[in-house]
C-alpha cells in the first residue's frame, strides 16, 4: 500500500471515528433532553410503582418456611458382637467417603419417602429434605424445611429414626450418634426483605425509563446538527447563532438580544457577523436582491431576533436598512427591542391611517429604521396580498439598501407565502431540536410555491454541553463556546470591523 493510500485510509478512519462519536453524543444528548423534559417524572413514577409492585408481590406470594436441623455421625457395623451381644461399629476414611456419596441419595430415595409417609401417616411429604456431609468425615447435617415448624420437626425425627432401616440394604447396619439435637426455627427462615425488594423494583423502574429515553432518542427527527441541513433539508446553513441567556442582575439592565447590547457576549456577536458575511456573499451573485424575507416553521424559533440582528449587522457594515414587522397578526419587533412608546406600523400604513414616512422611525444611533407598530390586523391575509402592500414594498426599495421583512411562520400560516411575492430572497430560521424535519420540509415546500429564492438557513439557539449534543463550538465559524469572552482583546472599532470583514471576503 502506497503512502498516499495509507494517508487516505487514515483520514477515512478518523472521519468514521468522529461520526461514531458524534452519533453517541447525539443519542446521549437526546436522552438527556428527554430526561429534562419528561424523563425525570417518568422515572419517579416508574421507580415508585416498581418499588410498590415488587414489595406487594413479595408480600402476597410469601409462603412461610420453617427449618428443622440436626447434626450426627454415622458409623457402620463390623458384623462382630461383643460380650454383651451388641454389634461393634467403626469409622474409617473409606466408610466416610462411602457414606458421603450415599447419604444424600438415601435421604431422597423413594424408599425413604415411603417409609416416612407410613411413619407419619400422611399421603404426601411436602417438606424439603437436604443432607450435607462434612468432607472426609462421617458427620452429617440434615435440614428439613416445611410450611409449619411441627411438620418440619416431625419429618426430621422420622428421617433420623428410619435412616438405619433404609441404609441397611446399601451400607449394612449403621448407627447414628446425635451431636446436635433436632431444633426448629421459631420464625420463618424465608421472610423476604421488603426494602430490598422495593429497591429492586425501583431499579427496574429506572432501567425501564432509560429504555424509554433511548427509544425516544432513536426516533427523534428534529434538526440537531449542521450536517442535518445538507443531509435532511438539502439546504445551506448560512449561520449558527448560539443560545443566548442573561444572568439575573439587579437594576434596569437590558435583556434585548441584540449586538448593540453590551450584555450580549462576543460569541453571539461573532456569529451574527459570520451570518452577515455569508449572506452578503450570497447576494453578490444577485446584485438587485434587496428585500430579504425572514421566516421559520413554527413560532418561537427566533426569526424576530435573527431579523433584528441581521439588520443591525448590515447597518454596522455601512448599509442603510429598514426592518419591517410584517407579522400582521402578532407584532413582536418592538417587544424584542423593549420599546414601549406607541408608534404606527405596517398595519396603519395599509389602513391609510398613517403615511410610510410617518410610520418609519429611527432606531437609536444605528443605520436601521423600523416599520413596527403596536396594532394587529383584523384581515392580515387580505392586506398582505393587496396592491397597497406591493406599493409599500416598492417604496421601501427606494428608501434603503436592504429591507428585512420579519414575517409570520410559514409552517402554520400563508402570510409568509404572500409576502414572498414581493421579496427577492428568503432566509429560513431553524431552531435547534425544535421543529421536526418533516414540518420544516413542509414549510420550505410551501415557501417554494412562490418561487422565491431561499438563500439558506440560520441554525438558531444552539446549546452547549450534554443537553446541546456536546457542542462547545459552532461549526466552521470558530470555537466560540470555548473562548466565549474576548474582553482582553478590547472592543472592535468600526474601522477594525470593516478591515476584518474585507479580509474575510477576500
Amino acid at each position: 500500500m502506497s503512502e498516499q493510500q495509507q494517508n487516505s485510509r487514515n483520514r477515512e478512519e478518523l472521519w468514521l471515528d468522529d461520526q461514531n462519536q458524534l452519533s453517541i453524543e447525539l443519542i446521549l444528548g437526546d436522552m438527556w433532553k428527554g430526561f429534562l423534559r419528561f424523563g425525570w417524572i417518568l422515572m419517579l413514577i416508574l421507580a415508585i410503582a416498581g418499588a410498590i409492585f415488587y414489595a406487594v408481590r413479595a408480600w402476597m406470594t410469601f409462603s412461610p418456611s420453617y427449618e428443622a436441623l440436626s447434626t450426627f455421625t454415622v458409623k457402620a457395623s463390623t458384623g462382630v458382637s461383643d460380650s454383651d451381644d451388641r454389634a461393634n461399629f467403626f469409622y474409617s476414611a473409606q466408610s466416610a467417603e462411602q457414606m458421603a456419596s450415599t447419604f444424600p441419595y438415601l435421604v431422597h430415595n423413594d424408599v425413604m419417602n415411603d417409609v416416612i409417609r407410613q411413619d407419619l401417616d400422611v399421603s404426601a411429604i411436602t417438606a424439603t429434605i437436604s443432607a450435607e456431609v462434612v468432607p472426609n468425615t462421617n458427620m452429617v447435617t440434615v435440614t428439613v424445611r416445611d410450611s409449619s415448624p411441627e411438620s418440619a420437626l416431625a419429618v426430621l425425627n422420622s428421617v433420623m429414626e428410619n435412616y438405619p432401616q433404609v441404609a441397611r440394604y446399601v451400607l449394612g447396619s449403621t448407627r447414628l450418634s446425635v451431636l446436635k439435637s433436632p431444633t426448629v426455627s421459631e420464625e420463618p427462615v424465608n421472610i423476604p426483605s421488603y426494602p430490598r425488594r422495593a429497591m429492586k423494583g425501583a431499579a427496574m423502574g429506572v432501567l425501564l425509563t432509560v429504555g424509554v429515553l433511548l427509544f425516544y432518542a432513536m426516533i427523534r427527527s428534529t434538526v440537531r446538527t449542521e450536517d442535518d441541513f445538507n443531509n435532511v433539508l438539502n439546504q445551506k446553513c448560512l449561520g449558527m447563532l448560539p443560545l443566548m441567556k442573561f444572568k439575573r442582575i439587579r437594576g434596569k439592565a437590558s435583556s434585548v438580544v441584540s449586538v448593540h447590547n453590551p450584555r450580549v457576549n462576543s460569541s453571539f456577536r461573532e456569529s451574527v457577523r459570520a451570518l452577515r458575511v455569508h449572506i452578503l456573499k450570497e447576494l453578490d451573485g444577485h446584485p438587485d436582491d434587496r428585500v430579504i424575507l425572514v421566516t421559520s416553521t413554527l413560532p418561537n424559533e427566533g426569526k424576530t431576533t435573527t431579523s433584528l440582528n441581521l439588520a443591525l449587522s448590515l447597518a454596522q457594515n455601512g448599509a442603510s436598512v429598514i426592518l419591517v414587522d410584517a407579522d400582521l397578526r402578532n407584532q413582536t419587533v418592538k417587544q424584542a427591542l423593549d420599546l414601549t412608546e406607541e408608534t404606527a406600523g405596517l398595519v396603519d400604513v395599509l389602513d391609510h391611517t398613517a403615511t410610510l414616512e410617518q410610520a418609519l422611525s429611527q432606531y437609536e444611533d444605528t443605520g436601521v429604521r423600523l416599520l413596527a407598530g403596536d396594532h394587529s390586523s383584523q384581515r392580515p391575509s387580505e392586506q398582505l396580498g393587496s396592491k397597497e402592500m406591493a406599493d409599500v414594498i416598492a417604496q421601501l426599495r427606494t428608501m434603503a439598501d436592504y429591507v428585512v421583512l420579519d414575517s409570520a411562520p410559514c409552517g402554520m400560516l400563508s402570510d409568509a407565502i404572500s409576502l414572498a411575492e414581493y421579496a427577492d430572497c428568503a432566509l429560513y430560521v431553524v431552531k435547534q431540536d425544535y421543529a421536526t424535519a418533516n414540518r420544516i420540509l413542509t414549510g420550505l415546500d410551501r415557501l417554494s410555491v412562490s418561487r422565491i429564492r431561499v438563500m439558506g438557513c440560520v441554525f438558531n439557539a444552539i446549546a452547549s454541553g450534554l443537553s446541546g449534543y456536546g457542542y462547545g463550538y459552532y461549526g466552521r465559524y470558530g470555537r466560540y463556546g470555548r473562548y466565549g469572552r474576548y474582553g482582553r482583546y478590547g472592543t472592535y472599532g468600526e474601522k477594525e470591523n470593516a478591515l476584518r470583514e474585507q479580509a474575510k471576503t477576500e
Side-chain angles (χ1 to χ4, degrees), residues 53 74 164 249 292 304 348 358 374 430 465 470:
F53 173 76
V74 182
I249 59 175
I292 304 173
T304 299
D348 303 283
Q358 292 173 337
D374 304 284
V430 177

Side-chain angles (χ1 to χ4, degrees), residues 82-103:
D82 57 14
S83 59
D84 295 330
D85 202 26
R86 291 177 299 179
N88 291 325
F89 292 86
F90 73 98
Y91 162 77
S92 67
Q94 182 179 2
S95 63
E97 183 178 355
Q98 184 181 16
M99 287 185 292
S101 61
T102 59
F103 193 94

Side-chain angles (χ1 to χ4, degrees), residues 54 88 91 96 115 149 172 178 231 236:
Y54 269 69
N88 291 325
Y91 162 77
V115 171
V178 178
N231 301 334
K236 294 180 182 178

Side-chain angles (χ1 to χ4, degrees), residues 85-300:
D85 202 26
R86 291 177 299 179
N88 291 325
F89 292 86
F90 73 98
Y91 162 77
S92 67
Q94 182 179 2
S95 63
E97 183 178 355
Q98 184 181 16
M99 287 185 292
S101 61
T102 59
F103 193 94
Y105 166 75
L106 292 176
V107 168
H108 295 94
N109 191 272
D110 290 339
V111 177
M112 175 66 80
N113 289 336
D114 292 339
V115 171
I116 295 174
R117 283 192 295 106
Q118 293 176 8
D119 183 31
L120 299 179
D121 194 19
V122 293
S123 60
I125 299 176
T126 60
T128 301
I129 306 172
S130 61
E132 182 179 356
V133 180
V134 178
N136 300 321
T137 71
N138 63 338
M139 188 181 301
V140 180
T141 299
V142 176
T143 303
V144 177
R145 285 194 175 188
D146 207 347
S147 58
S148 70
E150 295 81 7
S151 176
L153 185 59
V155 172
L156 176 60
N157 289 329
S158 181
V159 169
M160 295 175 63
E161 181 179 350
N162 293 287
Y163 174 77
Q165 176 186 348
V166 177
R168 181 179 303 152
Y169 301 101
V170 178
L171 300 175
S173 298
T174 58
R175 186 176 69 182
L176 304 183
S177 299
V178 178
L179 300 179
K180 181 180 180 182
S181 301
T183 58
V184 64
S185 60
E186 297 181 358
E187 299 290 337
V189 294
N190 63 333
I191 297 176
S193 175
Y194 294 106
R196 182 177 298 178
R197 296 294 180 89
M199 290 179 61
K200 183 178 180 181
M204 293 301 295
V206 172
L207 289 177
L208 183 58
T209 304
V210 172
V212 172
L213 291 176
L214 179 61
F215 178 75
Y216 168 80
M218 297 297 291
I219 65 172
R220 287 186 60 75
S221 60
T222 56
V223 175
R224 295 164 291 178
T225 68
E226 184 183 3
D227 291 338
D228 290 339
F229 287 91
N230 293 325
N231 301 334
V232 180
L233 304 181
N234 195 27
Q235 292 289 332
K236 294 180 182 178
C237 182
L238 298 179
M240 306 177 74
L241 303 183
L243 178 65
M244 192 66 231
K245 293 182 179 180
F246 292 111
K247 294 182 179 179
R248 292 183 180 181
I249 59 175
R250 296 180 179 179
K252 296 182 178 180
S254 174
S255 59
V256 176
V257 183
S258 159
V259 292
H260 277 210
N261 186 351
R263 295 184 65 196
V264 172
N265 59 36
S266 52
S267 64
F268 185 85
R269 294 192 181 94
E270 287 293 331
S271 299
V272 173
R273 289 191 186 101
L275 173 63
R276 179 187 71 197
V277 169
H278 287 84
I279 288 178
L280 290 177
K281 285 183 178 180
E282 288 292 326
L283 294 177
D284 282 345
H286 303 82
D288 296 331
D289 288 359
R290 288 293 180 262
V291 181
I292 304 173
L293 174 69
V294 182
T295 186
S296 62
T297 305
L298 302 174
N300 302 319

Side-chain angles (χ1 to χ4, degrees), residues 44-58:
L44 183 62
I45 294 174
L46 291 181
I48 294 175
I52 295 174
F53 173 76
Y54 269 69
V56 171
R57 188 180 70 169

